[in-house]
Structure formats: structure tokens, C-alpha cells
């Protein structure tokens, strides 16, 4: 931070929801102690600090359809607990010490460039790889499990927009952002428009299903849209076309190599 004259810090390190449940001590170390380290550095060096939060910061007692920015947050996962902690500590440091803390609650993020990383929303990334590779997919959530999702480009745009937003436009320090909500069966239907022979079976993972059932089905992001002009670009049909094209061309390159 000192040698490179860093002024903005984006802190992404975290174990995602499903892997965190399988290793709570590691999740505590990375998601909570790791965040404390970053918070100290940001406060000491007067940095603008971005930390992503998540749909996982809500729980079974939160309103799920839609979930507003301010409501009950009693997550039942260590991942969710660590993210509520980050939201509250960041906001506390902002009000107490003037730290320029900015936080977005991300939906499930979908990208062709990275492999799934142990989250509950990962099925919505893996499904594209398997559809291209074998036209078959085994889904670990029930077909009607609806969750908020977003394409990576929208996520990165929101992140830069909120970091660049004038302080005076921010009425809060933690915002929901939303693009679309869908269930596995809706995603499958959309993929079948491109790959009609695509076959899906359901083999529900009880840990992931319980997590998904406690999370928002739809995010209310009206404060982000009003305060700093948040607007998503990509809906479900465009997401599916983009993902199939990106992963399809990667696998063609791999085959010819
Ligand atoms: N994608 C994350 C997960 O499923 C949610 O923030 O854990």
C-alpha cells in the first residue's frame, strides 16, 4: 500500500457459502480475520475500501421476495455471518472514523472465465460447461429454486460505478444490486433453445438446498438505482447466449490445440 501509493482497495478474498460450511475454522480465518487485517490497513492509510457482500447476508427470517436493503439479517451460514460482520464493521468504521467504505451485495455471479468456487449458486456456472461438453448436467438444487443472479460484466460495472460515485450521492454504504432471478428449470429451458438435446437430472445436495432456501429469491435494488444510477445490461436470454458462445469457443480452441 505504501510503496505503490495505493488509494483504493478491493477486498475479494473469501470462502464461498458451501465450502465455508465444510471448514468453519478456515472460513473464520479468511472471511473474518482476513477482513480485519484489510480494515486496519484501510483505516490506517485512509483508503477507499470496497468489500463485496452477498445475497447470503440474509437468512430464513428475512423477507425473500423481494429482499430490501434494510431488513432482518440473521443468516445461518458462516459465510453469511462473516459478510454481515463485514457490512457492519465497514459501516461502523465509516461513521466512527470516516473510512470510505463501500459495499455491494452481489447476487450469484456468472462468468465464463472462472471455474465455480464452492458457492451455492455455482450450478448456474457449471451447467454451461457441462452443456457444451456432454449435453448433460446433474443439478444439485431443486428445479424451482429461484435465486438472484448477474453476469460478471454487470457486476464489475456496478463495482466501479459505486466506487466512482460522489460521496454525496451515497445515502447508504451497503447496497443490494440485482439483474435477474431464475430457477434451474428456467435456465435449462433457455439453454435448450440452443442445445435441444440437453438433458438434466436432479440430485439435490441437502446442504446447498437448505442454504438456497434461506436466501432471497429476488433482490430489491431500488436504492442503488436511485442513488448512483445502477442499471444492469444483461437479462437471462442474453446471459445464456453469451455464456454458451464464450465456453463453446474456448472448448473449440482446446480441441484444436
Ligand atoms: N455465490 C455465492 C455463493 O453461492 C453467494 O454470494 O456462495
Amino acid at each position: 500500500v505504501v510503496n505503490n501509493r495505493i488509494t483504493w482497495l478491493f477486498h475479494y478474498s473469501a470462502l464461498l457459502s458451501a465450502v465455508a460450511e465444510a471448514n468453519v475454522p478456515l472460513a473464520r480465518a479468511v472471511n473474518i480475520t482476513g477482513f480485519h487485517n484489510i480494515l486496519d490497513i484501510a483505516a490506517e492509510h485512509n483508503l477507499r475500501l470496497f468489500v463485496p457482500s452477498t445475497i447470503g447476508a440474509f437468512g430464513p427470517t428475512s423477507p425473500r421476495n423481494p429482499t430490501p436493503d434494510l431488513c432482518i439479517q440473521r443468516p445461518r451460514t458462516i459465510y453469511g455471518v462473516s459478510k454481515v460482520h463485514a457490512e457492519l464493521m465497514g459501516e461502523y468504521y465509516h461513521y466512527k472514523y470516516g473510512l470510505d467504505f463501500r459495499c455491494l451485495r452481489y447476487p450469484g455471479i456468472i462468468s465464463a472465465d472462472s471455474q465455480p468456487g464452492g458457492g451455492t449458486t455455482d450450478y448456474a456456472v457449471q451447467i454451461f460447461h457441462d452443456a457444451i461438453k456432454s449435453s448433460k448436467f446433474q443439478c444439485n438444487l431443486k428445479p424451482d429454486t429461484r435465486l438472484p443472479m448477474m453476469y460478471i460484466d454487470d457486476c464489475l460495472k456496478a463495482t466501479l460505478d459505486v466506487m466512482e460515485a460522489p460521496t454525496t450521492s451515497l445515502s447508504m454504504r451497503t447496497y443490494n444490486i440485482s439483474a435477474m432471478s431464475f430457477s434451474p428449470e428456467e435456465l435449462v429451458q433457455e439453454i435448450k433453445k440452443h442445445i435441444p438435446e440437453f438433458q438434466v437430472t436432479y440430485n439435490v445436495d441437502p446442504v446447498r438446498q437448505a442454504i438456497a432456501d434461506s436466501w432471497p429469491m429476488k433482490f430489491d435494488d431500488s436504492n442503488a438505482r436511485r442513488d448512483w444510477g445502477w442499471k444492469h445490461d444483461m437479462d437471462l436470454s442474453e446471459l445464456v447466449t453469451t455464456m454458451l458462445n464464450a465456453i463453446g469457443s474456448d472448448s473449440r480452441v482446446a480441441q484444436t490445440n
Side-chain angles (χ1 to χ4, degrees):
V1 163
V2 172
N3 291 350
N4 295 297
R5 304 200 175 128
I6 302 295
T7 53
W8 289 12
L9 212 150
F10 296 77
H11 176 61
Y12 276 90
S13 312
L15 265 68
L16 294 181
S17 56
V19 287
E21 286 310 293
N23 193 343
V24 173
L26 184 62
R28 265 181 59 167
V30 174
N31 294 20
I32 299 177
T33 309
F35 169 70
H36 287 169
N37 296 338
I38 293 298
L39 195 61
D40 286 345
I41 288 167
E44 195 176 333
H45 297 279
N46 208 12
L47 307 180
R48 184 170 295 186
L49 175 62
F50 178 82
V51 179
S53 186
T54 161
I55 50 175
F58 298 93
T61 49
S62 308
R64 295 180 66 213
N65 193 12
T67 305
D69 280 308
L70 297 175
C71 63
I72 292 171
Q73 287 180 270
R74 283 291 179 275
R76 298 258 175 99
T77 60
I78 187 64
Y79 176 64
V81 168
S82 73
K83 290 295 186 177
V84 176
H85 175 72
E87 292 178 6
L88 291 174
M89 286 295 280
E91 291 184 8
Y92 178 76
Y93 270 58
H94 171 68
Y95 294 114
K96 177 100 177 172
Y97 304 117
L99 176 72
D100 195 350
F101 172 79
R102 303 180 183 210
C103 175
L104 296 178
R105 294 196 192 101
Y106 289 167
I109 303 301
I110 299 175
S111 149
D113 298 326
S114 55
Q115 291 294 320
T120 302
T121 57
D122 279 2
Y123 89 87
V125 178
Q126 191 64 47
I127 194 169
F128 291 103
H129 292 278
D130 291 10
I132 295 278
K133 205 166 63 190
S134 63
S135 301
K136 283 198 181 74
F137 177 63
Q138 195 175 74
C139 186
N140 53 26
L141 292 180
K142 289 185 198 158
D144 62 350
T145 311
R146 182 175 300 278
L147 291 167
M149 302 278 184
M150 180 179 285
Y151 186 61
I152 184 73
D153 289 8
D154 273 333
C155 169
L156 296 176
K157 178 165 73 95
T159 304
L160 290 178
D161 283 356
V162 79
M163 283 298 271
E164 283 167 349
T167 301
T168 48
S169 69
L170 302 175
S171 66
M172 308 189 300
R173 289 286 155 168
T174 303
Y175 288 92
N176 294 348
I177 50 164
S178 168
M180 64 190 99
S181 279
F182 58 74
S183 63
E185 62 194 351
E186 287 165 355
L187 181 56
V188 170
Q189 283 317 314
E190 200 59 42
I191 294 175
K192 276 189 174 171
K193 290 182 188 166
H194 302 262
I195 307 174
E197 69 278 16
F198 187 40
Q199 279 176 13
V200 177
T201 49
Y202 291 90
N203 183 11
V204 173
D205 168 7
V207 173
R208 281 183 166 78
Q209 188 65 47
I211 293 174
D213 287 343
S214 75
W215 281 1
M217 299 162 82
K218 191 171 181 289
F219 244 0
D220 175 353
D221 62 354
S222 47
N223 290 318
R225 288 176 193 261
R226 186 200 57 222
D227 284 3
W228 45 276
W230 160 240
K231 200 172 139 309
H232 70 278
D233 281 332
M234 208 176 277
D235 287 313
L236 178 58
S237 67
E238 214 183 335
L239 170 91
V240 168
T241 312
T242 306
M243 285 294 286
L244 290 176
N245 284 341
I247 295 171
S249 57
D250 281 355
S251 69
R252 278 193 290 279
V253 171
Q255 274 161 22
T256 49
N257 280 343

